[in-house]
Amino acid sequence: MQFGLSESQQILKDTARKFFGNECPMAHVRKLIETDTAYDSALWQKLADQGFTGIIFPEELGGMGLGMVELILLMEEAGYALLPGPLFSTLIAGAVLHACASEPQQKSFLSQIVSGQARASIAFLESNGSWDPASLKLAGNSKLNGTKLFVTDAAVADFILVIAAGGVYLVERNSPGIEIAPMKGMDLTRKIYSVQFSNTPAEKLAGNSAALGRALDIAIAALAAEMTGGMQRVLETAVAYAKTRKQFGKPIGIFQAVQHMCADMYLETESARSAAYYAAWALEENAPDAATAVSIAKMYASDASRTVGNRGIQVHGGMGFTWENDIHLYYRRAKASETMLGDATYHRERVARLVIDEKLRAQNTEQREHSGFGHAQR
């Protein structure tokens, strides 16, 4: 088994790091967060020209046709750069389209995402705040009625995939009866909205719950990787500050308390990266424990990103809270991502359910085999 990245994967990671650093430095990030949507059409076109909007989608639709590990590497670097705008939302909506849409629907809508002509998002959460698909109340049919909350980048999405009790429905932004209103959020780089539907025409996708579940697992793994990239940037920023900030004529990095915090941040970041990479590999290989690996990655990243953010600000002291310092922007992203697609508690419960279900399946299989053996003896 290969535990390292292949040459092509490392090239992708290095290219993404360089691209985001050149095209979206922190000065540009700060400029975009002052806008209503945090969206830059010129930057979006450059992302599409790089092939990033089609990284995991089929070549026959114009995509790069790469795997889950490549997606995770891209999202890790996007998190490192604190990339604003709808790349994450669009890739996740694309994953749902790829998993659930019919071939004509993919040609009509997914091809637009791949080429960069369209941006998209998914609408999942309702007023109960649960990420469990079984808790959804909005009923799907040819016309939708109800409200979805905390929909990322809805104002710049050309279409929204609505996860409803009856399946997945595609709604175009200019459809009648749709009302998009901004909501206040922790993360200034990823704007959130409420979306209200009033007899809004919707097109149902063909996929079943299993296909949707896999698409959501891809989304969760990608988010865990993005959080890991943010942790890496906070770690590097804190270590650099500890080397240069002086107290009593000495760098604060010589004090054990600061060293211990930096060491803990390093441990949390590397562990989160390992979990995210394994989740991506498991999804790519359709491993039996793929869903469990995905939940473990998100569970760990949710806790670790909060801890790393806290310690990064502690290392900076009072400077960590000032607007001029970038580290609080990463902390905001970490806090928002902590609950997106399920917090650590939700994924611990999901892992428990998956483990119990697997044990029950194994017991049923064993009983059937034993029963068959008994019949054969008789």
Side-chain angles (χ1 to χ4, degrees):
M1 179 183 291
Q2 278 287 352
F3 290 99
L5 300 178
S6 67
E7 182 180 0
S8 60
Q9 289 169 341
Q10 190 61 55
I11 290 173
L12 172 64
K13 185 175 173 64
D14 295 341
T15 300
R17 173 73 64 93
K18 184 177 180 180
F19 173 83
F20 291 132
N22 291 337
E23 301 297 338
C24 194
M26 284 307 300
H28 193 57
V29 172
R30 285 179 170 273
K31 181 180 177 181
L32 290 180
I33 65 176
E34 297 294 338
T35 66
D36 293 334
T37 60
Y39 168 67
D40 178 0
S41 59
L43 176 60
W44 180 259
Q45 187 57 54
K46 291 176 182 178
L47 290 168
D49 292 342
Q50 288 288 319
F52 293 160
T53 56
I55 184 167
I56 58 171
F57 304 126
E59 294 182 61
E60 54 266 29
L61 293 176
M64 297 178 70
L66 300 179
M68 294 301 111
V69 175
E70 284 78 7
L71 172 64
I72 261 56
L73 296 175
L74 175 64
M75 294 315 303
E76 183 182 357
E77 293 307 321
Y80 184 89
L82 200 67
L83 181 72
L87 179 64
F88 176 78
S89 303
T90 301
L91 285 175
I92 298 321
V96 174
L97 273 171
H98 188 217
C100 299
S102 64
E103 187 174 337
Q105 288 170 331
Q106 290 191 34
K107 288 182 178 179
S108 178
F109 297 105
L110 185 54
S111 60
Q112 293 184 52
I113 287 178
V114 170
S115 65
Q117 296 175 11
R119 297 159 301 282
S121 184
I122 62 170
F124 192 111
L125 279 182
E126 298 176 1
S127 58
N128 60 15
S130 173
W131 287 101
D132 185 355
S135 70
L136 296 174
K137 302 298 183 185
L138 190 150
N141 49 49
S142 59
K143 292 185 182 291
L144 298 180
N145 288 281
T147 303
K148 291 289 189 178
L149 303 175
F150 307 105
V151 182
T152 56
D153 304 300
V156 296
D158 294 285
F159 49 85
I160 298 172
L161 299 180
V162 182
I163 315 299
V168 183
Y169 294 81
L170 188 146
V171 177
E172 299 191 53
R173 189 180 60 183
N174 57 0
S175 298
I178 186 171
E179 183 178 342
I180 299 173
M183 300 179 69
K184 291 185 177 179
M186 178 71 73
D187 183 6
L188 302 178
T189 66
R190 184 172 286 152
K191 308 296 184 178
I192 55 175
Y193 303 84
S194 65
V195 182
Q196 184 172 347
F197 306 100
S198 301
N199 290 322
T200 306
E203 180 177 349
K204 186 174 183 179
L205 302 187
N208 56 25
S209 58
L212 174 62
R214 175 174 170 79
L216 291 177
D217 278 344
I218 293 171
I220 295 165
L223 181 59
E226 186 188 70
M227 296 167 77
T228 301
M231 285 185 253
Q232 182 66 40
R233 186 67 172 267
V234 170
L235 169 63
E236 292 177 8
T237 303
V239 170
Y241 183 79
K243 290 179 178 179
T244 56
R245 176 72 168 93
K246 292 185 177 182
Q247 285 185 351
F248 311 110
K250 298 178 181 179
I252 63 172
I254 70 168
F255 301 126
Q256 279 194 344
V258 175
Q259 292 174 359
H260 290 168
M261 283 193 287
C262 291
D264 288 343
M265 291 164 68
Y266 177 78
L267 174 63
E268 301 260 23
T269 301
E270 287 299 316
S271 299
R273 179 176 290 113
S274 295
Y277 282 16
Y278 179 75
W281 177 87
L283 285 170
E284 181 68 25
E285 298 297 323
N286 293 313
D289 65 339
T292 303
V294 166
S295 276
I296 289 173
K298 181 57 167 64
M299 175 182 72
Y300 193 92
S302 290
D303 286 338
S305 62
R306 180 182 65 253
T307 302
V308 170
N310 283 336
R311 287 174 174 153
I313 289 178
Q314 281 184 292
V315 170
H316 282 75
M319 286 293 296
F321 289 93
T322 60
W323 179 255
E324 292 77 13
N325 195 302
D326 294 333
I327 203 164
H328 73 94
L329 298 176
Y330 283 88
Y331 187 61
R332 286 172 175 267
R333 169 71 69 86
K335 287 297 293 180
S337 298
E338 179 184 341
T339 56
M340 184 185 291
L341 296 173
D343 61 8
T345 299
Y346 171 83
H347 283 285
R348 287 189 181 97
E349 293 173 352
R350 185 184 184 221
V351 168
R353 290 195 301 269
L354 289 168
V355 170
I356 291 172
D357 290 346
E358 180 59 32
K359 286 186 176 180
L360 290 175
R361 282 194 295 270
Q363 288 174 358
N364 291 336
T365 301
E366 183 179 353
Q367 289 173 357
R368 285 195 300 269
E369 290 176 350
H370 182 73
S371 176
F373 178 70
H375 283 301
Q377 281 187 322
R378 288 195 292 272

